[in-house]
């Protein structure tokens, strides 16, 4: 009888001990977050963030009057999904460059980029997706918006709040 009780207690200790190890391995341990900048925010796994930048309201002050970018994680196709948008006051030549950036612990590093060029257009709305991300990292989208109208040019940037991809 004493042998059975001891065997049962040993088995119980082993089972409970393994549960703790398994639980510890499944914990969501995130690396240190990037420093907060302006409107940046962190959400878990799936988060949507965007930053809309508006130029001065006077049409004479700039060619572009709206520009922004955003990033999300699409669980359906297991990829990062970015959108960039810019709108001009006039039909003009435009270029939109969307950058995917990863936080390396000290700074944002470009992972890849996409370039979209449109001639004689009022706006650009483009998207890009990236499936070769590394889980356990922070990502964000950055965009460079360029427009040329006659002799005038306008270049500006937008940055989406970062997301954590597990």
């Amino acid at each position: 009888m004493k042998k059975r009780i001891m065997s049962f207690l040993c088995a119980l200790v082993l089972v409970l001990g393994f549960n703790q190890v398994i639980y510890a391995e499944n914990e969501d341990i995130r690396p240190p977050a990037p420093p907060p900048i302006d409107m940046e925010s962190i959400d878990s796994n799936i988060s949507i963030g965007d930053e809309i930048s508006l130029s001065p309201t006077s049409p004479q002050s700039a060619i572009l009057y709206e520009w922004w970018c955003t990033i999300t994680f699409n669980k359906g196709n297991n990829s990062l999904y970015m959108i960039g948008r810019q709108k001009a006051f006039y039909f003009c030549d435009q270029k939109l460059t969307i950058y995917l950036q990863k936080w390396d612990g000290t700074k944002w590093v470009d992972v890849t980029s996409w370039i979209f060029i449109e001639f004689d257009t009022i706006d650009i709305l483009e998207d890009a997706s990236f499936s070769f991300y590394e889980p356990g990292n922070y990502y964000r989208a950055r965009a460079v918006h360029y427009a040329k109208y006659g002799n005038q040019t306008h270049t500006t940037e937008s940055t989406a709040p970062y997301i954590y991809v597990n």
Side-chain angles (χ1 to χ4, degrees):
M1 177 75 166
K2 209 177 203 185
K3 203 174 194 180
R4 278 190 184 172
I5 293 174
M6 288 303 286
S7 296
F8 175 75
L9 288 176
C10 287
L12 184 64
V13 167
L14 283 174
V15 169
L16 291 177
F18 284 126
N19 280 344
Q20 292 299 325
V21 171
I22 292 169
Y23 176 75
E25 287 178 6
N26 290 334
E27 286 185 33
D28 181 23
I29 301 172
R30 293 185 181 191
I37 300 173
D38 299 332
M39 297 171 54
E40 288 191 335
S41 64
I42 305 170
D43 287 313
S44 178
N45 293 336
I46 302 175
S47 62
I48 300 172
D50 64 348
E51 176 180 293
I52 297 177
S53 303
L54 300 175
S55 70
T57 56
S58 168
Q60 288 78 21
S61 65
I63 302 168
L64 295 174
Y65 68 89
E66 181 183 325
W67 56 90
W68 53 267
C69 65
T70 187
I71 184 171
T72 60
F73 180 73
N74 185 332
K75 274 196 169 180
N77 64 6
N78 204 31
S79 65
L80 294 167
Y81 182 68
M82 290 134 299
I83 300 173
R85 171 104 187 186
Q86 62 191 52
K87 290 184 177 183
F89 290 108
Y90 320 100
F91 281 89
C92 59
D93 298 340
Q94 297 187 42
K95 178 180 172 183
L96 169 66
T97 307
I98 300 174
Y99 295 89
L100 172 64
Q101 295 185 312
K102 181 175 85 170
W103 180 251
D104 74 356
T106 58
K107 65 186 177 309
W108 289 104
V109 178
D110 291 343
V111 176
T112 190
S113 64
W114 298 264
I115 298 172
F116 306 97
I117 298 173
E118 298 276 337
F119 298 101
D120 198 27
T121 188
I122 208 87
D123 67 344
I124 295 180
L125 173 63
E126 293 290 348
D127 62 355
S129 64
F130 187 77
S131 300
F132 302 104
Y133 65 91
E134 297 173 16
N137 285 292
Y138 294 93
Y139 290 91
R140 75 176 185 181
R142 181 175 69 87
V144 176
H145 310 271
Y146 170 84
K148 182 178 182 186
Y149 179 72
N151 304 14
Q152 296 179 319
T153 62
H154 186 197
T155 303
T156 190
E157 292 189 17
S158 65
T159 305
Y162 57 81
I163 61 172
Y164 179 76
V165 181
N166 194 7

